[in-house]
Amino acid sequence: MCLPASSTTTSSTDETGATVPPPIGSGLADLHQTRDDVVAEVMKAPKRRIDNVITHLNDSVHLLLMHARIVEDTRSRYSRMVWENRVQEGGTLATGASLTALGMYFSLPVEFTGGVVAATVLGVGGMHWYNSSKLKAHEDNLLTPEELGASFQRTHSREVSEADEFTSSVWQRIRDPLMVSLRTVGLDNTPTVGSKDIYALNQILDEDIPRLRRLASPTHFGSKVKGT
């Protein structure tokens, strides 16, 4: 905190040329003025700390909101392929089970029923291996800088079209940490980000932070200080 510069007093000289010190009353007035300036600066300190906390909160919520939107977009694309693979494997298994049941119902030769069972097991096992390899490749592709950048453009299309510099700066800050985090955790272990979560973050930005700024405004904060 910078202290205000104190005002200077002038001295005079007598007839012999000797310096005569200024009256003590003038020095006391300067001292009181300096004290009042220091007190005023000290009283502003809580307001500055509150402003810093609110600004930090606003910045953190913007980071978290962008992180949540991009993570959910990436996770949903991964989850879509997971369910497609499960449908394929489940359909193959259901077909094999149906053929086996028909063979037993019509008393077909055991060789036929056994062949169907063996083919079903091998088919489902081979399909599961192939789908797992394809899913891993898909996950690696989703976590490349290019695909994460595409997710950012999808989830923030309006801001991108308006060339919003703040949104671009937030994206630059979270891009690399987000990619490292998702690669470490894995999309299969990434929890779902629900619409209620996004709504809650937007509520903080649209309502809570403006309300906190109003409460910390000079008029409101000053009245609180005087009332204490």
Side-chain angles (χ1 to χ4, degrees):
M1 179 179 67
C2 296
L3 296 179
S6 60
S7 60
T8 59
T9 58
T10 60
S11 59
S12 59
T13 58
D14 58 11
E15 296 178 353
T16 62
T19 301
V20 177
I24 189 171
S26 176
L28 289 176
D30 290 342
L31 180 61
H32 287 305
Q33 180 61 43
T34 301
R35 183 199 62 183
D36 293 340
D37 292 341
V38 171
V39 171
E41 292 297 321
V42 171
M43 294 301 294
K44 293 178 183 178
K47 170 65 168 53
R48 293 195 187 99
R49 288 197 295 269
I50 293 174
D51 286 341
N52 291 338
V53 170
I54 295 174
T55 300
H56 181 69
L57 173 63
N58 182 71
D59 184 65
S60 298
V61 174
H62 273 103
L63 290 171
L64 183 58
L65 182 59
M66 180 178 290
H67 188 282
R69 286 177 172 172
I70 296 175
V71 165
E72 180 56 23
D73 178 78
T74 304
R75 188 206 62 79
S76 62
R77 294 169 64 197
Y78 174 83
S79 181
R80 191 179 304 120
M81 175 169 281
V82 170
W83 282 103
E84 289 175 356
N85 292 345
R86 290 178 179 175
V87 169
Q88 292 176 0
E89 295 168 11
T92 303
L93 182 61
T95 300
S98 299
L99 291 175
T100 302
L102 287 175
M104 296 176 64
Y105 180 79
F106 290 106
S107 301
L108 296 177
V110 178
E111 290 80 4
F112 173 80
T113 305
V116 170
V117 172
T120 300
V121 172
L122 290 175
V124 172
M127 184 176 293
H128 178 73
W129 176 83
Y130 172 75
N131 286 341
S132 297
S133 301
K134 185 173 64 173
L135 186 63
K136 183 64 173 63
H138 184 57
E139 179 181 15
D140 293 340
N141 181 62
L142 288 175
L143 299 183
T144 58
E146 294 76 17
E147 285 299 319
L148 288 177
S151 293
F152 164 69
Q153 293 181 2
R154 278 192 301 272
T155 55
H156 298 78
S157 57
R158 181 175 61 84
E159 291 84 352
V160 171
S161 64
E162 295 175 356
D164 190 314
E165 293 184 0
F166 176 75
T167 301
S168 298
S169 67
V170 173
W171 166 238
Q172 293 297 324
R173 291 169 61 187
I174 74 164
R175 181 180 56 189
D176 293 339
L178 174 63
M179 182 170 59
V180 172
S181 175
L182 289 178
R183 286 178 176 175
T184 302
V185 176
L187 292 177
D188 194 42
N189 299 318
T190 302
T192 302
V193 179
S195 58
K196 291 183 178 180
D197 301 322
I198 301 296
Y199 177 79
L201 292 174
N202 282 319
Q203 284 290 99
I204 296 175
L205 291 175
D206 298 336
E207 296 185 9
D208 295 342
I209 290 179
R211 179 171 57 83
L212 290 173
R213 291 197 185 280
R214 288 193 298 272
L215 291 175
S217 63
T219 302
H220 188 280
F221 187 79
S223 64
K224 289 291 185 182
V225 171
K226 292 177 181 179
T228 56

